[in-house]
Amino acid sequence: MQRTKVKDLLQGAEVGKEVLLKGWVRTKRGNKYVNFIAVNDGSTINNLQVVAEAEKFSEESLKDVTTGAAIAVVGQLVESQGKGQAYEVQATSIEVLGKADPETYPLQKKAHSLEFLREIAHLRFRTNTFGAVFRVRNTLAFAVHKFFNEKGFVYMHTPIITASDAEGAGEMFRVTTLDPKNPPLTESGEVNYEEDFFGKATNLTVSGQLEGELAAMAFSDIYTFGPTFRAENSNTTRHLAEFWMIEPEMAFYDLKMNADLAEEFIKYIIRYALEHNREDIEFLGQRLAEEDKAKPQNERQEMTLLEKLEFVVNNDFERVTYTEAIDILVNSNHYKKKKFQYDVAWGIDLQSEHERYLVEKHFKKPVIVTNYPKDIKAFYMRLNDDGKTVAAMDILAPGIGEIVGGSQREERIDILVERMKSVGIHEEDLWWYLDTRRFGGCPHAGFGLGFERMVQFVTGMGNIRDVIPFPRTPQNAEF
């Protein structure tokens, strides 16, 4: 007999028929006449109730049917007589496929803190919260590919190992096969990377953008969706050392077209999740509402999770220039009353508290900020006519701040070379990148969306470590 998933059984697809289900026991309760076993196989947040009558199953035969055990059940799917579920399975046979000792199994029927669950990340998928989070993550990932495929974009795999630093950040993980205790040295005493595997110093990528631009100069519209790495020693709820980035690059796009596409993209994948994972999002919204009750009134969310997501999908994003954003912040009561930890002045890199003020207090909707000072942005962003700003854009979202960063790229080779010199990048290191400007260069643009931050936004989870299966952070590479 073929196994039927719990999600399908709960929709009544096999009602009246004998079915086989397999999953893990969430709870077992009963009396001397009957046992009720809640089974979940991960296909849905809802459990399926299995009814095991005492006349068919002895107490001895069910002793290993405990929370966490894997079981196979054969029985008839019937309409439920009890409250709380539409269908249940009247069991005729139950086989324990894998025991779970109730004395040592760490997930029992009680509330567990998220901190504790991070310590047992190999088991946390079995909880309602993380089951919902990772089903939503799966749907969002599928929606990413669906969106770009429908628009005719080419999916491009850019290298994970690279010799370039797209961001100029310098906080990269080194990739090497050299002996750490006795590396080969040059005459000046430095490590001789010419003897390394790749013949030069290489790192894990921080972005696939530069390589993505090369592909856009042939295919017009491409996107990447892959892992990226930052060796930033930051132990916050917003940072990971390993995370996933979505980076489209489009030939013949300007800054406005870039912002339009990013807004359309965000709305599309959120709408897709609302359509396909509504039960999961409703559950996560209830969890968030309970969490909110413990906070002071002024720190509570003004909208439920569902309301927030539907508001984003159904409303235009606000658009302001960086200069306008600074004016708003400087003239705010928040600034006048010295409530910002970081000062506000033209030329600063906006901090998370500034971004969240603009989104959550001032506009109360997602905001696209454009035309940042050139000195705080990357070398590849197109210099504006004022000579002071670049054609950059960031999309700021409620609760987490920046969710998208992008720009129109500098297609004028003379200006690009000058920008590279000003930040200490040698022409010979990026000769291939400059070739795309020498041979058939054109205006083009692109952006990057941090996938985990998007998952955070849609699930309402407050810590980025709770939206990636196995978080990699300073001093932590477990599992």
Side-chain angles (χ1 to χ4, degrees):
M1 191 187 303
Q2 190 170 346
R3 175 174 77 97
T4 307
K5 291 192 173 182
V6 167
K7 183 178 183 179
D8 297 326
L9 293 172
L10 287 171
Q11 292 170 352
E14 303 287 328
V15 67
K17 298 179 182 177
E18 186 177 65
V19 297
L20 168 64
L21 71 132
K22 297 179 180 180
W24 293 269
V25 176
R26 286 292 176 87
T27 60
K28 184 179 81 170
R29 60 185 175 83
N31 51 48
K32 63 182 180 179
Y33 303 110
V34 65
N35 279 282
F36 301 100
I37 305 162
V39 179
N40 192 289
D41 65 357
S43 60
T44 172
I45 197 162
N46 299 305
N47 303 325
L48 180 62
Q49 180 169 280
V50 172
V51 179
E53 295 176 355
E55 61 185 36
K56 297 178 184 174
F57 299 93
S58 66
E59 191 175 325
E60 176 66 19
S61 69
L62 296 180
K63 68 179 174 58
D64 291 328
V65 179
T66 59
T67 298
I71 63 172
V73 179
V74 175
Q76 188 180 28
L77 184 71
V78 298
E79 292 186 7
S80 179
Q81 302 301 308
K83 295 179 180 178
Q85 64 278 326
Y87 302 98
E88 63 188 22
V89 169
Q90 298 280 351
T92 53
S93 78
I94 298 175
E95 179 187 358
V96 176
L97 303 175
K99 298 178 184 179
D101 182 355
E103 296 298 317
T104 55
Y105 182 58
L107 294 174
Q108 294 300 322
K109 192 183 177 183
K110 64 175 184 177
H112 297 287
S113 72
L114 297 179
E115 290 80 7
F116 169 71
L117 292 172
R118 273 176 227 131
E119 294 172 8
I120 54 166
H122 58 304
L123 297 174
R124 66 177 179 168
F125 304 119
R126 301 189 193 184
T127 65
N128 280 339
T129 296
F130 286 98
V133 166
F134 290 110
R135 276 188 297 272
V136 171
R137 182 184 171 108
N138 168 69
T139 296
L140 288 169
F142 181 81
V144 168
H145 292 295
K146 193 170 188 292
F147 174 83
F148 287 116
N149 190 59
E150 287 173 1
K151 287 192 168 291
F153 278 58
V154 173
Y155 179 31
M156 190 63 56
H157 294 119
T158 54
I160 290 173
I161 299 171
T162 177
S164 68
D165 177 359
E167 299 291 324
E171 294 166 333
M172 304 176 77
F173 290 102
R174 181 65 43 84
V175 175
T176 181
T177 58
L178 297 179
D179 183 350
K181 293 181 180 177
N182 188 29
L185 302 177
T186 63
E187 291 182 2
S188 60
E190 296 178 344
V191 175
N192 184 5
Y193 286 105
E194 289 184 5
E195 294 190 30
D196 205 349
F197 185 90
F198 293 107
K200 60 172 68 176
T202 53
N203 311 284
L204 295 179
T205 185
V206 298
S207 169
Q209 179 206 313
L210 300 189
E211 292 87 353
E213 285 187 54
L214 312 184
M217 292 299 100
F219 299 105
S220 295
D221 301 321
I222 69 98
Y223 75 104
T224 76
F225 186 179
T228 49
F229 308 85
R230 302 276 169 94
E232 183 180 352
N233 191 14
S234 180
N235 241 323
T236 75
T237 58
R238 298 176 70 244
H239 293 96
L240 292 165
E242 175 186 284
F243 54 99
W244 288 68
M245 286 282 287
I246 299 141
E247 297 178 290
E249 288 289 330
M250 295 77 62
F252 317 115
Y253 265 55
D254 61 19
L255 185 65
K256 182 182 182 303
M257 295 163 73
N258 195 31
D260 289 345
L261 182 76
E263 180 174 346
E264 182 187 357
F265 171 57
I266 288 170
K267 289 179 175 179
Y268 180 98
I269 63 175
I270 292 175
R271 189 180 294 114
Y272 194 85
L274 285 169
E275 289 171 0
H276 292 82
N277 288 80
R278 197 168 190 91
E279 283 186 327
D280 288 318
I281 293 171
E282 284 173 349
F283 170 82
L284 292 166
Q286 291 164 5
R287 183 200 150 275
L288 193 60
E290 287 298 316
E291 206 176 64
D292 248 16
K293 288 178 183 177
K295 296 178 181 177
Q297 189 68 41
N298 64 326
E299 292 181 21
R300 294 179 187 177
Q301 307 281 336
E302 292 184 15
M303 297 183 186
T304 67
L305 181 59
L306 266 175
E307 287 170 345
K308 179 186 76 171
L309 296 176
E310 286 170 345
F311 181 82
V312 168
V313 163
N314 295 324
N315 287 277
D316 292 338
F317 293 5
E318 194 69 39
R319 302 195 185 201
V320 296
T321 66
Y322 169 89
T323 301
E324 290 167 341
I326 291 294
D327 287 343
I328 289 167
L329 293 169
V330 167
N331 291 311
S332 69
N333 286 331
H334 217 70
Y335 178 76
K336 292 171 182 174
K337 292 179 180 178
K338 301 189 181 335
K339 289 187 177 180
F340 287 126
Q341 182 181 348
Y342 295 92
D343 195 21
V344 180
W346 200 94
I348 65 157
D349 200 356
L350 292 176
Q351 298 295 317
S352 178
E353 61 174 349
H354 304 140
E355 295 170 341
R356 292 186 63 174
Y357 177 86
L358 291 168
V359 171
E360 296 165 26
K361 303 294 184 188
H362 188 79
F363 291 112
K364 298 190 175 181
K365 61 163 70 173
V367 178
I368 304 179
V369 181
T370 59
N371 299 321
Y372 283 77
K374 67 179 176 67
D375 293 338
I376 61 171
K377 288 295 183 181
F379 73 92
Y380 50 73
M381 297 186 177
R382 195 181 200 276
L383 190 66
N384 288 328
D385 292 342
D386 61 15
K388 298 189 301 180
T389 62
V390 288
M393 65 126 192
D394 286 347
I395 299 182
L396 315 179
I400 48 179
E402 183 193 334
I403 198 167
V404 163
S407 70
Q408 186 173 337
R409 315 310 191 190
E410 183 57 80
E411 83 280 10
R412 300 164 295 187
I413 190 167
D414 53 337
I415 297 175
L416 181 59
V417 169
E418 283 302 312
R419 288 280 285 141
M420 287 168 60
K421 285 179 182 175
S422 70
V423 295
I425 297 174
H426 302 295
E427 287 184 55
E428 57 269 26
D429 292 337
L430 288 180
W431 62 270
W432 45 271
Y433 186 69
L434 293 172
D435 266 5
T436 59
R437 275 67 175 173
R438 291 190 182 99
F439 309 125
C442 67
H444 60 289
F447 62 84
L449 180 143
F451 186 55
E452 280 71 28
R453 289 196 181 175
M454 175 53 73
V455 180
Q456 262 193 288
F457 183 71
V458 176
T459 60
M461 300 300 285
N463 193 320
I464 201 165
R465 300 174 196 203
D466 294 329
V467 297
I468 192 168
F470 304 104
R472 298 294 181 244
T473 54
Q475 304 299 306
N476 177 42
E478 198 61 80
F479 312 109

